[in-house]
């Protein structure tokens, strides 16, 4: 017996589907920006903690910015390509099954009876859904919904690289423009404020508590900066 889902005829809301896709990409962009902020700032703070002059600090920040963006793009491309291949393989298998699988009206009626629909109503629904034109529209709607869910590795790659770069520019520009006497303090404050903003934005998009989400990101970023500064200080004391 074929497995029948109910309600049997899927519906597609283009507005809802588009909005969900945009939210997903925006969340991915926020994650990329967070990564850029923390990664570049951590490298800069670590090298500065080692006692290096501004030239090497800027060079390390530029290397972290470019290398991180490329790494993010490659990582997302490989990851999303694998996910897309799995999606397309599953879709091809389901399409082949639909082409050869004939769903009996008795199976459809049984599926509706299993959720409490009366015998007469279930039989009527099964007869309507069993009509060839309805069946064709049902299959087309399912295939369209699945196709809309297929992700783009190229889009994921450039979004990740772009947002990482935007986030990483904050600590890099702070290093470039702020006087040396207050550079480290300004970088730390700017980074934590930026992380609080991205954490709050992500919470708003996901409907989560804002304060808790922002605090998590800020604490994580502060821990990363402290760890790299300590590592740079310890290594700098012996190497420089």
């Amino acid at each position: 017996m074929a497995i029948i889902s109910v309600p049997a005829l899927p519906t597609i809301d283009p507005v809802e589907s588009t909005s969900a896709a945009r939210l997903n990409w925006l969340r991915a962009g926020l994650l990329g920006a967070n990564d850029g902020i923390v990664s570049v700032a951590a490298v800069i703070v670590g090298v500065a903690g080692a006692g290096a002059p501004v030239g090497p600090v800027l060079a390390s920040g530029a290397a972290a910015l470019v290398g991180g963006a490329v790494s993010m793009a490659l990582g997302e491309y490989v990851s999303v390509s694998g996910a897309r291949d799995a999606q397309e393989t599953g879709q091809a298998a389901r399409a082949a099954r639909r082409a050869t699988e004939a769903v009996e009206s008795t199976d459809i009626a049984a599926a509706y009876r299993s959720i409490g629909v009366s015998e007469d109503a279930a039989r009527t629904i099964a007869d309507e859904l069993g009509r060839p034109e309805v069946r064709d529209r049902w299959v087309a709607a399912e295939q369209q919904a699945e196709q809309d869910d297929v992700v783009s590795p190229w889009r994921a790659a450039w979004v990740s690289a772009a947002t990482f770069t935007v986030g990483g520019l904050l600590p890099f520009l702070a290093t470039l423009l702020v006087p040396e006497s207050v550079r480290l303090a300004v970088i730390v404050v700017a980074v934590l404020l930026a992380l609080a903003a991205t954490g709050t934005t992500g919470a708003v998009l996901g409907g989560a508590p804002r304060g808790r989400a922002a605090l998590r990101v800020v604490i994580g970023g502060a821990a990363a900066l402290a760890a790299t500064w300590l590592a740079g200080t310890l290594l700098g004391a012996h190497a420089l």
Side-chain angles (χ1 to χ4, degrees):
M1 177 182 291
I3 298 174
I4 309 299
S5 59
V6 290
L9 187 61
T11 59
I12 300 173
D13 186 340
V15 174
E16 182 178 347
S17 177
T18 301
S19 298
R22 287 176 178 172
L23 284 177
N24 286 335
W25 283 113
L26 188 52
R27 291 191 188 99
L30 287 173
L31 291 175
N34 279 342
D35 198 0
I37 293 169
V38 174
S39 298
V40 176
V43 170
I44 289 174
V45 168
V47 176
V54 66
V57 172
L58 285 173
S60 64
L65 185 63
V66 175
V70 174
S71 177
M72 284 286 291
L74 289 174
E76 284 296 308
Y77 180 83
V78 171
S79 175
V80 174
S81 292
R84 185 189 62 177
D85 291 343
Q87 281 180 308
E88 292 178 343
T89 299
Q91 289 176 9
R94 287 189 292 274
R97 187 179 68 246
R98 291 189 193 107
T100 58
E101 184 181 72
V103 180
E104 300 293 339
S105 61
T106 53
D107 296 335
I108 299 176
Y112 275 88
R113 285 197 306 273
S114 69
I115 61 170
V117 177
S118 67
E119 177 71 31
D120 291 341
R123 190 173 301 158
T124 300
I125 294 171
D127 290 341
E128 286 297 311
L129 292 178
R131 291 192 293 126
E133 60 271 26
V134 175
R135 174 65 180 172
D136 290 343
R137 291 171 186 165
W138 176 4
V139 171
E142 286 183 327
Q143 291 175 337
Q144 182 62 50
E146 290 178 351
Q147 187 61 39
D148 291 341
D149 287 337
V150 174
V151 290
S152 168
W154 285 109
R155 187 176 183 182
W158 76 256
V159 167
S160 297
T163 54
F164 182 97
T165 302
V166 170
L169 279 174
L170 174 67
F172 182 79
L173 292 177
T175 305
L176 183 64
L177 302 176
V178 174
E180 185 175 358
S181 59
V182 294
R183 180 177 296 130
L184 190 59
V186 169
I187 290 173
V188 171
V189 171
V191 165
L192 296 183
L193 289 176
L195 290 176
T198 56
T200 301
T201 303
V204 171
L205 294 175
R210 302 179 188 182
R212 185 170 62 188
L215 185 61
R216 280 198 302 261
V217 179
V218 169
I219 291 175
L225 295 181
T228 52
W229 180 84
L230 180 61
T233 301
L234 293 175
L235 292 173
H238 296 87
L240 296 180

